[in-house]
């Protein structure tokens, strides 16, 4: 079955994942992490993309970002991907591809799933057993949102600003969201959405989104389509 084209719309938040080829490491040390972050920030400004959240694991990374144009997101990812591969291969004495094919992405319903998506991303290092406490992982945007450090790479989404009237209130509210975690159902939905390119949202959001694109935005319901038979000979 032919793969679906990416679903990309301007001024909508997108959850993005890029993996290393054959799940090989794409970050070996601190310099690699910092180089990727610098490339993300430099090219986000150039292509009109607001980066809301990120987490870098050993062999993949997640991003949550809103492009100001339809072309902004793919241009951003292409620029970052190409430059990072050149850097990584030169630095580590390797050749060939670094990525497991093209990046994967999907749209997120802002009011229902943007904050859960951020929590999902921040808890990745804990789920992977890299740290016991999310506060101890340096390569995510959690520290910025929880008030542990300032990260100039991050552009907070209005949904985050709505968590409180003061920086302290917002930071405490977000830290509590992460402490509480997300449901298994939401985690499965966010995972399937980004891996298969299905938009993540309720039925009303999906119906509205479908009107803006010819590309199917959600998974087809199981079972064969109903066949209407004519009566008589």
């Amino acid at each position: 079955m032919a793969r679906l084209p990416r679903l990309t719309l301007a001024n909508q938040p997108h959850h993005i994942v890029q993996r290393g080829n054959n799940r090989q490491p794409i970050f070996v040390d601190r310099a690699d992490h910092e180089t990727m972050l610098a490339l993300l920030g430099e090219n986000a400004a150039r292509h009109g993309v607001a980066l809301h959240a990120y987490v870098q694991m050993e062999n993949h990374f997640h991003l949550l970002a809103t492009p100001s144009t339809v072309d902004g997101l793919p241009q951003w990812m292409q620029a970052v991907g190409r430059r990072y591969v050149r850097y990584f291969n030169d630095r580590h004495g390797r050749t060939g591809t670094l990525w497991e094919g093209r990046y994967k992405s999907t749209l997120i319903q802002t009011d229902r799933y943007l904050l859960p998506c951020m929590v999902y991303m921040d808890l990745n290092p804990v789920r992977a057993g890299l740290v016991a406490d999310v506060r101890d992982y340096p390569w995510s945007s959690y520290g910025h949102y929880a008030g542990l450090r300032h990260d100039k790479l991050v552009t907070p989404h209005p949904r985050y600003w709505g968590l409180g009237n003061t920086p302290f209130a917002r930071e405490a509210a977000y830290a509590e969201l992460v402490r509480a975690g997300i449901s298994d159902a939401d985690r499965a939905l966010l995972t399937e959405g980004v891996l298969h390119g299905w938009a993540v949202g309720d039925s009303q959001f999906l119906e509205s989104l479908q009107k803006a694109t010819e590309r199917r935005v959600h998974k087809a319901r199981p079972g064969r389509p109903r066949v209407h038979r004519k009566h008589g000979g």
Side-chain angles (χ1 to χ4, degrees), residues 220-226:
R221 293 176 180 174
R224 296 180 179 179
R226 182 179 297 177

Side-chain angles (χ1 to χ4, degrees), residues 7 21 85 104 115 125 134 156 173 187 192 208 232:
L7 179 60
N21 190 39
V85 170
K104 300 179 185 297
L115 291 174
V134 66
R187 184 166 64 248
E192 183 180 40
S208 175

Side-chain angles (χ1 to χ4, degrees), residues 55-193:
V55 62
Q56 296 178 333
M57 306 293 282
E58 181 185 42
N59 61 10
H60 69 283
F61 61 86
H62 292 253
L63 308 171
L64 183 63
T66 297
S68 59
T69 65
V70 173
D71 296 329
L73 188 63
Q75 289 174 349
W76 178 51
M77 291 299 293
Q78 184 180 67
V80 170
R82 285 179 175 176
R83 288 184 59 185
Y84 187 76
V85 170
R86 288 198 298 269
Y87 153 83
F88 191 88
N89 283 356
D90 288 346
R91 183 165 188 261
H92 296 289
R94 68 182 300 279
T95 59
T97 184
L98 179 64
W99 309 122
E100 183 185 70
R102 62 181 193 164
Y103 69 88
K104 300 179 185 297
S105 68
T106 190
L107 275 80
I108 298 292
Q109 182 181 355
T110 302
D111 56 349
R112 172 64 180 84
Y113 287 104
L114 186 133
L115 291 174
C117 186
M118 290 175 59
V119 172
Y120 166 94
M121 290 166 57
D122 284 336
L123 289 175
N124 254 319
V126 177
R127 287 194 297 269
L130 300 178
V131 292
D133 191 317
V134 66
R135 294 175 295 181
D136 296 331
Y137 195 73
W139 306 116
S140 79
S141 51
Y142 174 81
H144 178 87
Y145 287 108
L148 304 178
R149 57 181 170 81
H150 175 71
D151 193 334
K152 64 181 181 180
L153 183 64
V154 170
T155 300
H157 190 277
R159 284 292 292 172
Y160 173 77
W161 293 109
L163 289 176
N165 293 325
T166 66
F168 178 79
R170 290 189 291 270
E171 292 158 4
Y174 186 72
E176 176 58 25
L177 286 177
V178 175
R179 188 202 65 77
I182 62 173
S183 68
D184 291 342
D186 279 358
R187 184 166 64 248
L189 185 63
L190 287 162
T191 300
E192 183 180 40

Side-chain angles (χ1 to χ4, degrees), residues 12-46:
Q12 293 283 341
H14 296 67
H15 179 199
I16 304 145
V17 173
Q18 179 65 280
R19 296 186 181 278
N21 190 39
N22 293 323
R23 298 188 179 272
Q24 69 186 40
I26 58 175
F27 304 111
V28 175
D29 55 23
R30 184 180 191 89
D32 291 345
H33 284 286
E34 291 178 342
T35 297
M36 173 59 80
L37 293 177
L39 289 173
L40 286 168
E42 173 189 334
N43 287 281
R46 180 172 298 151

